[in-house]
Amino acid sequence: KHCKFNPWIPILLGLHMHFSWATTCPEECRCDRTFVYCNERSLTSVPLGLGEGYKTLYLHNNQINNAGFPLEMHNVASVETVYLYGNQLDEFPVNLPKNVRVLHLQENNIQMVSRAALAQLLRLEELYLDDNSISTVGVEEGAFREAISLKTLFLTKNHLSSVPIGLPEELRELRLDENRIAFIAEDAFENVTGLELLLLDGNLLMDEGIAPGALQTLVNLKTLSLARNSLTFPPPNLPAEFLVKLNLQDNQMNEIPLTAFHGLHRLERLDISNNQLQSLTQGIFDGLHGLRQLTVRNNLWLCDCNIKWVILWLKSLPATLNVRGFMCQKPERVRGMVIRELTLELIQCPNSTATVPQPTLLSSSTAESATQTVFTPAHSQPTPNPPRLTLPSPTASKDGEQRTNDPVGPMQESLRVSFAVLNGSCIQVRWVSTFTVTAYKVTWVKQGHSLITGPMQESLVQGEREGITLTNLEPKSTYRICVDPLDVFNHYHPGDDTICSEVTTKSASFHSGDNATGPEQATQHDTSSPFLLAGLIGGAVLVVLVVLLSIFCWHMHKKGRSDSSKWKYSRGKRKDDYCEAGTKKDNSILEMTETSFQIVTLNNEQLLKGDFCIQPIYTPNGGVGFSDSQRRNNSTAYCKNSVPESDTCHK
């Protein structure tokens, strides 16, 4: 008889062998499909009996040392990813799976890296050696070059004093941050011309520590980070062809040469924050055609005549370029002001021949009962000798305020703004414009003796309105108020069309209609004032209400305690009657009932200690209940027509 060949036999045998491989799992581990979980089991060696078919091996957070790698593990061909971080390795391990592609060895105590160990891993592509004890002498020369497929190498937080010699040619990403590197040789990156990302943050690099041509060979580099070093200027000969991101923050740079960024046409992000820069050479950014983000925070920017070009450059930038951090630090009178919004009158130019129109500053005695009018030309451009505008002389009016005539013709003025002090807490700002204005931005800030001391506030007013009343101001305080028109193209022109002036509010007890001529008479008038009498009556009513409310709260508190002492946790209650909260570290459960709003412990063995604060975040309908909106001293309040026309602003 002839045996008929069955084509399904080889297929069934293959499936049987594959199934038998995948079911061979070490006793100490748990296996799930292609994953083997041997992590956090206090293992001192790699478990035996690992079969084929598994791709990912988790061995992290154990106590495995270098003697715990059996030879049979090297022959497991299916494993491609191994997690060995958080163990007790002191050398780069041998006998790892021969086809591993991703290897995690972070948080060990590895001090030695040998060529023989890496020569076993011909397919290794990603190697993570962060947070070990690897030093320059602990890396055998050319060790990493043995891993011929290596593309990503992390050596963050080690003890390296220089770049390891003999890096693999296929390397694309190299992280050497948080080491002790103080020197980069000329040929340090000679064979890694394909490198695209290089991180050298947090090292000991100084200007002389970087060889002139050390970085020039990295012709394909896209990201270079040299933050947190001791550089006083950018390194020379930066790779210019493909560089997209350059980080130079947290150094000691006090100047940047004009040619420092020459040729970086593709650079998109530049960070020079947290240095000691006071000024920049004009034209330093001219060649950066692809720049999209420039960060310059926390430098010692000196806002003198040399900053003029920066102001003009910032105003000419396209919307695609985001610049952050240009803020004056010196001199004191402009400290904290944004450089982009500086006006020529605020910049000190001792040798300048230009005549800049200055705002009229009212003395404290005059500002209490005067209206101040200021003019500005429409869309004026800086000229070598701008014309000086003469303010009209004030004339007295029937109501005691000082008004202005109109000696300036319509062709000479475009925007006229007046500032009227109504009382100790209100200033009225009014304007007349001869050109189309979409909206007005009004900003005001309280000033001290030599610098701005209060939080800057701002309000956006629609163009059809002719004024705004600033309320809740402090008595006898000087405020710098600026009006900035928005043209039909929705563009602001700070410095061109902006009108600023300093106005001082009246004293709290002074009214424009009073006949008092001295402080004593003003005080006597306030004593018999109906407003004072109303305040006393209101205060008395408030005290009575507070007492009644306190009695009610005490009664409810006492009743709530008696009710809550009888109430116990019951799973049978409705779900809406209580809410639970707890974490693994804090197993006490808090409950808030609907009736008494008392916080009680559901664990009778523990007592709640300390103060508790309940702050509603969301209301039942999904809206926001309330939020803390306190502003810091250096914050800006954006009101957008929220400044009320208060009835308390009496003249």
Side-chain angles (χ1 to χ4, degrees):
K1 295 181 180 179
H2 298 284
C3 296
K4 187 177 180 180
F5 177 75
N6 192 341
W8 290 99
I9 294 178
I11 298 176
L12 293 174
L13 288 174
L15 291 174
H16 174 72
M17 293 182 64
H18 178 76
F19 180 76
S20 62
W21 288 346
T23 54
T24 306
C25 182
E27 295 180 358
E28 300 90 340
C29 308
R30 180 178 64 87
C31 300
D32 182 12
R33 292 176 296 178
T34 60
F35 303 96
V36 182
Y37 298 96
C38 304
N39 53 298
E40 300 178 357
R41 284 168 166 77
S42 300
L43 301 176
T44 57
S45 62
V46 178
L48 298 174
L50 181 64
E52 293 287 350
Y54 299 107
K55 291 186 176 181
T56 305
L57 177 58
Y58 295 97
L59 290 165
H60 54 278
N61 294 336
N62 282 294
Q63 301 174 16
I64 301 174
N65 54 40
N66 286 87
F69 289 85
L71 179 60
E72 69 176 54
M73 186 180 180
H74 181 65
N75 297 321
V76 180
S78 61
V79 175
E80 296 180 352
T81 303
V82 178
Y83 291 87
L84 273 165
Y85 62 84
N87 280 281
Q88 297 182 2
L89 302 173
D90 54 11
E91 294 182 9
F92 195 97
V94 294
N95 297 332
L96 290 170
K98 58 183 178 181
N99 293 328
V100 65
R101 296 178 183 271
V102 181
L103 179 58
H104 291 267
L105 292 170
Q106 306 98 308
E107 301 175 20
N108 280 278
N109 191 33
I110 297 175
Q111 304 173 33
M112 304 292 294
V113 180
S114 65
R115 297 180 59 180
L118 283 166
Q120 294 181 331
L121 309 176
L122 300 180
R123 297 190 179 183
L124 184 63
E125 296 180 1
E126 299 180 19
L127 176 57
Y128 301 92
L129 286 166
D130 310 66
D131 205 356
N132 278 282
S133 302
I134 302 173
S135 62
T136 299
V137 296
V139 180
E140 188 176 354
E141 185 174 346
F144 293 111
R145 190 177 297 169
E146 297 293 332
I148 57 176
S149 302
L150 193 62
K151 293 180 174 59
T152 300
L153 176 58
F154 281 31
L155 286 166
T156 303
K157 292 185 180 180
N158 279 280
H159 301 161
L160 296 170
S161 58
S162 62
V163 178
I165 299 175
L167 295 171
E169 297 180 0
E170 297 295 324
L171 199 62
R172 295 291 181 269
E173 184 175 353
L174 176 60
R175 296 179 180 246
L176 296 168
D177 45 317
E178 305 297 337
N179 277 276
R180 304 171 183 173
I181 298 176
F183 180 72
I184 301 178
E186 191 88 19
D187 57 349
F189 305 108
E190 185 176 9
N191 298 319
V192 287
T193 55
L195 196 64
E196 297 179 357
L197 184 146
L198 175 60
L199 264 62
L200 288 162
D201 301 346
N203 280 284
L204 305 176
L205 290 170
M206 303 179 69
D207 299 327
E208 60 274 11
I210 303 178
L215 304 174
Q216 197 171 12
T217 58
L218 301 175
V219 292
N220 291 296
L221 196 65
K222 295 181 180 179
T223 300
L224 174 61
S225 189
L226 290 162
R228 302 192 307 278
N229 281 281
S230 300
L231 303 174
T232 60
F233 53 83
N237 301 321
L238 291 171
E241 186 67 23
F242 297 103
L243 196 62
V244 173
K245 185 176 181 180
L246 177 60
N247 292 338
L248 296 170
Q249 66 268 28
D250 293 284
N251 277 276
Q252 299 178 16
M253 293 191 298
N254 49 31
E255 65 174 340
I256 299 180
L258 181 61
T259 59
F261 307 128
H262 181 72
L264 303 182
H265 304 300
R266 299 192 182 185
L267 192 67
E268 296 181 2
R269 293 174 177 266
L270 174 62
D271 194 338
I272 54 175
S273 303
N274 295 291
N275 279 281
Q276 300 179 18
L277 298 168
Q278 297 190 49
S279 61
L280 293 171
T281 306
Q282 184 171 356
I284 192 172
F285 303 124
D286 286 353
L288 305 180
H289 305 302
L291 197 61
R292 295 293 176 266
Q293 181 170 320
L294 172 64
T295 310
V296 299
R297 292 189 181 98
N298 298 327
N299 279 285
L300 307 176
W301 299 120
L302 176 61
C303 293
D304 60 2
C305 233
N306 295 324
I307 208 71
K308 275 187 176 181
W309 80 267
V310 177
I311 301 174
L312 298 176
W313 178 73
L314 290 172
K315 292 179 180 179
S316 66
L317 293 180
T320 55
L321 177 53
N322 184 12
V323 180
R324 302 176 181 176
F326 270 118
M327 184 175 294
C328 297
Q329 298 298 323
K330 300 177 182 179
E332 281 296 321
R333 67 189 189 91
V334 293
R335 180 181 176 88
M337 298 186 68
V338 180
I339 293 179
R340 184 189 184 103
E341 298 185 0
L342 286 179
T343 57
L344 298 180
E345 64 195 33
L346 294 174
I347 301 175
Q348 293 180 342
C349 296
N351 299 325
S352 175
T353 58
T355 305
V356 181
Q358 301 290 335
T360 302
L361 304 181
L362 303 181
S363 62
S364 58
S365 59
T366 306
E368 292 181 353
S369 60
T371 298
Q372 178 180 345
T373 306
V374 188
F375 304 93
T376 183
H379 307 293
S380 59
Q381 300 297 330
T383 58
N385 294 289
R388 179 180 294 275
L389 300 178
T390 305
L391 295 177
S393 57
T395 58
S397 61
K398 292 187 297 181
D399 56 1
E401 292 185 356
Q402 292 186 3
R403 304 291 182 183
T404 58
N405 296 325
D406 281 333
V408 183
M411 299 302 295
Q412 293 177 292
E413 66 174 67
S414 297
L415 179 64
R416 180 176 62 183
V417 180
S418 63
F419 305 88
V421 181
L422 302 182
N423 55 30
S425 62
C426 299
I427 296 177
Q428 186 180 57
V429 184
R430 302 191 65 83
W431 51 76
V432 176
S433 175
T434 60
F435 58 93
T436 303
V437 177
T438 305
Y440 296 90
K441 183 175 72 172
V442 182
T443 58
W444 64 98
V445 61
K446 180 184 175 183
Q447 293 189 296
H449 296 289
S450 60
L451 70 159
I452 296 173
T453 60
M456 180 177 292
Q457 303 184 63
E458 112 179 2
S459 180
L460 192 64
V461 183
Q462 296 300 322
E464 60 269 14
R465 295 183 59 182
E466 297 182 352
I468 187 176
T469 301
L470 310 183
T471 61
N472 298 325
L473 307 179
E474 296 184 13
K476 298 195 70 174
S477 300
T478 301
Y479 285 84
R480 180 172 180 80
I481 307 173
C482 295
V483 179
D484 190 9
L486 179 69
D487 62 21
V488 293
F489 299 103
N490 291 329
H491 295 308
Y492 285 110
H493 299 275
D496 297 340
D497 299 332
T498 302
I499 294 181
C500 296
S501 184
E502 295 182 2
V503 184
T504 303
T505 57
K506 300 178 182 180
S507 60
S509 60
F510 183 83
H511 298 277
S512 58
D514 296 340
N515 296 323
T517 58
E520 295 180 359
Q521 293 179 353
T523 304
Q524 294 174 0
H525 176 82
D526 288 341
T527 304
S528 59
S529 173
F531 293 104
L532 180 59
L533 181 60
L536 293 175
I537 296 175
V541 173
L542 182 61
V543 171
V544 173
L545 290 177
V546 170
V547 172
L548 293 176
L549 182 60
S550 300
I551 296 174
F552 175 75
C553 291
W554 174 81
H555 175 71
M556 292 300 296
H557 175 72
K558 182 177 180 181
K559 180 180 178 182
R561 291 189 59 183
S562 62
D563 293 341
S564 62
S565 62
K566 300 177 182 179
W567 189 89
K568 294 185 178 179
Y569 179 77
S570 173
R571 293 185 181 274
K573 281 186 170 287
R574 292 187 299 110
K575 184 178 180 180
D576 295 338
D577 286 346
Y578 59 87
C579 58
E580 297 180 0
T583 63
K584 293 181 179 179
K585 294 183 179 180
D586 181 12
N587 56 8
S588 61
I589 302 176
L590 306 181
E591 179 167 309
M592 184 175 69
T593 64
E594 293 178 346
T595 54
S596 62
F597 292 95
Q598 297 296 311
I599 299 179
V600 297
T601 177
L602 300 185
N603 185 354
N604 294 329
E605 296 179 359
Q606 296 181 359
L607 296 177
L608 295 178
K609 298 180 180 180
D611 297 329
F612 292 88
C613 177
I614 300 177
Q615 176 172 327
I617 300 176
Y618 295 100
T619 57
N621 61 359
V624 177
F626 65 88
S627 60
D628 185 4
S629 60
Q630 294 180 354
R631 299 189 302 271
R632 297 182 181 177
N633 290 335
N634 58 355
S635 64
T636 302
Y638 296 92
C639 302
K640 284 200 173 183
N641 299 330
S642 63
V643 178
E645 296 287 348
S646 176
D647 295 336
T648 60
C649 297
H650 300 288
K651 295 181 180 180

